[in-house]
Amino acid sequence: MRNIFMRSILLTILLTLISSTAFAGQKTIKIGSPWGPKTLDVQKSGYAFQRIGIVESMIGVDFNLKFTPHLAEKWTVSNDKQTWTFTLRKGVKFHDGTLLTAQIMADNLKRLMKKGALLKSVPITSITASDDQTLKIVTSKPFAPLAAYLSKGEAAALAPSSFDAKGNVIKPIGTGPFKFESCKLKDNLVAVRNANYWGSQKAKIDKVIYKGVPDAMTRTAMLQSGELDIAQLLPPEAIANLKASGKNIQTKAIGRTRFAGFNMAEGPFTDRKTRLAINYAINRQDLVDFVLDGIGEPAKTIYPPVIFWSNTKLEGFPYSPEKAKKLLTEAGWKDTDGDGILDKDGKPFAFKLVTYPERATLPPTAEVIQSQLKKLGIKVELVVVQVDLAKKMRDSGDFGMTIVGRGLLFVPDPDFNLNADYLSANTFKPGWGAYHYDNPEVDKLLNQGRQEFTTEKRKEIYDRIQELLLEDAPMAYLNYYTNIDGVSPRVKGYVMHPVEHCFHLERIELN
């Protein structure tokens, strides 16, 4: 055993030396994330390419969650709210030297409508280029959140040479401060400095290596050994050791919520009282204190209070085992045979709780909830599997509850996630939202929200939706995320982005 341990240490040292030699003379930054790139097709999954700075969208999102001009220097909406006119910047070139034009942007968005999922629910009737700089998008009815949709990576501009004769992406050629060099799917993505970047902020580093490292402790160890310069989404318990070894820790409250989703198609959670009981039975403060080491906040509704769209008047579900017991009794659950497990109609209250380890805090969260529900006489079987399998189990209905960490601002508008997760037509499809949830009033409000351009009226609509979601309880919202990144002291200028769109690596310097 000792020999195996020593060989492991020697191998780590050797790999570190090889790595150091290979990149000697280059300013290379290495970033570890739970997920590597899934595809080269940016329009199917564009987050990695946008984060690194290979591709760019027409609209940006700043650190205050405001929309900013990016490839489009301005945009307007017609009086009938159905025609959007975007004016593209002049002189923007792709990495192959091709000039960005409105026609190229239009072709990209038309392909996105066919190949990607981002614009599937957007009522676009036409996308046309009036001239080289003017792009028009016409919708069949007013669609207020269009700018938010177009800020996402999938809506980025790709050069025509990115595609083969059949229209498949063979090499993503964007306009960003870094150029695509290579990719091994689900493993790593490599980009190099774009010396001819159109923006005023040129990159100071030569190369970016973005690695997918699913295990959080492995990412932590790689940061400690110098194999990574930035390790994303680290567990709270890693902070003390990292600080002691001289690493910097950055934390950022983001638009992401951990929640438990109920199977409302069959089993105990078809009963609203049972779902309410679980909500009251979960001690959310314990989850923050003992799982998150105090880094986070108990959830009251879907949105954290730092987000404008959060209904901060709602009180959520304060911990109340007494209310939980009362609701379970009203729902017909009793321990009739004295075995410590509630039962009803001859069946025990038992179910699968499915989650995944790529987000390190989810499995221990599930363990604590398992313990909390056991006190009420509920038997929970924990199933911790890789995220892809967890999603398959959820989509097939092979679960009682799932615990996930859901990003809410990748499209920085409530329309995107609320429609995807709570519109009845979508809750019967694959996804991470409420499973088989159907509330006609929620459907009606969601439709109103996307057609309403007055911010104050939209806020009232989404506040009411949050009230209804607490009344129906298709979910148990647990707590809000604070991302934890570990950063090598040789990295200067790294700032975490609230919507996780971009690392802004062009601002970074390496000692």
Side-chain angles (χ1 to χ4, degrees):
M1 191 70 182
R2 185 172 182 276
N3 288 338
I4 293 174
F5 180 68
M6 290 303 297
R7 283 201 299 271
S8 177
I9 291 177
L10 290 172
L11 179 61
T12 300
I13 294 171
L14 180 60
L15 289 173
T16 303
L17 288 173
I18 291 172
S19 175
S20 301
T21 303
F23 300 114
Q26 282 192 330
K27 292 182 178 178
T28 300
I29 190 167
K30 292 158 282 182
I31 303 170
S33 168
W35 297 280
K38 296 179 179 179
T39 171
L40 282 180
D41 195 333
V42 173
Q43 294 178 342
K44 292 181 179 176
S45 180
Y47 76 93
F49 302 93
Q50 186 183 40
R51 284 178 177 179
I52 289 179
I54 295 173
V55 302
E56 298 173 309
S57 304
M58 288 194 295
I59 297 170
V61 182
D62 68 15
F63 286 86
N64 297 313
L65 303 181
K66 302 294 184 185
F67 297 120
T68 60
H70 209 47
L71 294 182
E73 62 182 6
K74 63 180 180 180
W75 58 91
T76 58
V77 185
S78 61
N79 290 335
D80 68 358
K81 309 298 183 188
Q82 291 183 232
T83 299
W84 293 65
T85 302
F86 297 87
T87 303
L88 302 190
R89 293 183 189 277
K90 291 182 179 179
V92 174
K93 289 184 177 180
F94 290 99
H95 300 149
D96 65 355
T98 305
L99 202 62
L100 171 69
T101 65
Q103 187 59 56
I104 291 176
M105 195 72 238
D107 291 342
N108 270 276
L109 295 178
K110 289 177 182 177
R111 181 180 184 274
L112 174 59
M113 290 180 69
K114 296 178 181 177
K115 299 284 187 179
L118 178 64
L119 301 180
K120 289 294 185 187
S121 71
V122 182
I124 293 174
T125 57
S126 69
I127 302 173
T128 56
S130 304
D131 53 45
D132 280 353
Q133 255 59 56
T134 308
L135 177 80
K136 289 185 182 297
I137 298 179
V138 178
T139 58
S140 61
K141 48 191 174 183
F143 188 77
L146 182 62
Y149 277 68
L150 295 179
S151 71
K152 200 163 185 276
E154 283 79 353
L158 288 174
S161 59
S162 303
F163 306 95
D164 65 13
K166 294 181 178 178
N168 299 313
V169 175
I170 51 175
K171 181 180 180 181
I173 298 173
T175 58
F178 292 92
K179 302 187 292 185
F180 175 86
E181 182 174 270
S182 65
C183 176
K184 183 179 180 182
L185 295 182
K186 296 185 178 180
D187 188 89
N188 68 70
L189 178 58
V190 181
V192 295
R193 181 176 183 269
N194 172 21
N196 300 313
Y197 182 52
W198 62 270
S200 58
Q201 179 70 69
K202 305 288 193 297
K204 300 179 182 67
I205 55 178
D206 300 307
K207 179 176 281 196
V208 180
I209 300 176
Y210 178 80
K211 292 183 66 66
V213 185
D215 183 73
M217 296 313 296
T218 304
R219 292 196 299 279
T220 304
M222 291 173 73
L223 178 65
Q224 291 277 30
S225 71
E227 291 181 76
L228 293 176
D229 297 300
I230 299 173
Q232 283 196 290
L233 309 183
L234 299 180
E237 61 268 26
I239 292 178
N241 284 338
L242 287 171
K243 282 185 175 178
S245 64
K247 309 299 182 188
N248 297 318
I249 298 295
Q250 287 200 16
T251 59
K252 184 79 175 179
I254 61 166
R256 183 180 287 274
T257 299
R258 296 178 185 87
F259 58 67
F262 298 109
N263 184 340
M264 293 187 289
E266 59 180 8
F269 302 120
T270 55
D271 188 328
R272 172 176 167 271
K273 286 187 176 179
T274 307
R275 301 194 299 272
L276 292 173
I278 299 299
N279 266 285
Y280 281 114
I282 295 173
N283 187 333
R284 291 166 172 79
Q285 189 60 53
D286 272 2
L287 293 176
V288 172
D289 292 342
F290 302 122
V291 177
L292 307 180
D293 283 358
I295 302 174
E297 182 179 356
K300 295 181 177 178
T301 179
I302 184 171
Y303 292 110
V306 295
I307 293 178
F308 169 75
W309 300 105
S310 175
N311 185 344
T312 54
K313 296 178 181 176
L314 298 177
E315 295 185 356
F317 293 92
Y319 177 51
S320 177
E322 293 76 20
K323 282 187 179 179
K325 289 176 184 175
K326 184 173 183 293
L327 285 162
L328 289 171
T329 301
E330 290 175 2
W333 292 99
K334 299 178 182 177
D335 182 9
T336 60
D337 56 9
D339 68 349
I341 304 297
L342 299 175
D343 54 80
K344 179 180 177 181
D345 300 330
K347 294 182 179 178
F349 197 155
F351 62 87
K352 286 182 184 174
L353 174 52
V354 179
T355 192
Y356 49 89
E358 282 86 346
R359 289 195 173 275
T361 55
L362 297 186
T365 294
E367 289 181 16
V368 173
I369 289 177
Q370 179 191 42
S371 174
Q372 292 176 348
L373 297 187
K374 184 179 179 181
K375 296 175 182 175
L376 288 179
I378 298 172
K379 186 177 181 181
V380 178
E381 176 192 356
L382 287 189
V383 181
V384 180
V385 292
Q386 296 295 303
V387 63
D388 290 344
L389 180 54
K391 188 169 184 305
K392 285 181 182 177
M393 294 182 69
R394 182 269 179 202
D395 291 344
S396 68
D398 184 17
F399 74 104
M401 287 172 59
T402 57
I403 295 183
V404 306
R406 187 75 163 138
L408 305 171
L409 292 179
F410 288 145
V411 171
D413 187 281
D415 177 80
F416 182 77
N417 272 93
L418 292 180
N419 268 275
D421 289 357
Y422 301 99
L423 185 73
S424 59
N426 294 329
T427 65
F428 291 80
K429 298 177 182 176
W432 286 114
Y435 191 78
H436 291 206
Y437 176 59
D438 186 355
N439 183 323
E441 186 179 354
V442 171
D443 287 355
K444 181 181 177 182
L445 289 167
L446 288 171
N447 189 49
Q448 289 176 357
R450 56 176 31 192
Q451 296 191 50
E452 177 58 61
F453 276 67
T454 305
T455 301
E456 290 74 16
K457 291 182 179 178
R458 295 191 79 211
K459 182 73 167 68
E460 291 175 6
I461 289 170
Y462 293 117
D463 278 356
R464 175 58 182 156
I465 290 174
Q466 290 170 72
E467 290 176 11
L468 292 170
L469 292 179
L470 292 193
E471 290 174 17
D472 293 337
M475 304 283 191
Y477 304 114
L478 302 176
N479 43 57
Y480 305 125
Y481 260 85
T482 295
N483 272 353
I484 302 169
D485 285 4
V487 184
S488 164
R490 83 185 192 108
V491 176
K492 285 188 176 180
Y494 176 67
V495 180
M496 300 164 74
H497 197 281
V499 296
E500 306 173 88
H501 272 190
C502 188
F503 293 137
H504 285 299
L505 298 177
E506 70 277 9
R507 304 177 184 180
I508 283 181
E509 295 183 58
L510 296 176
N511 292 327

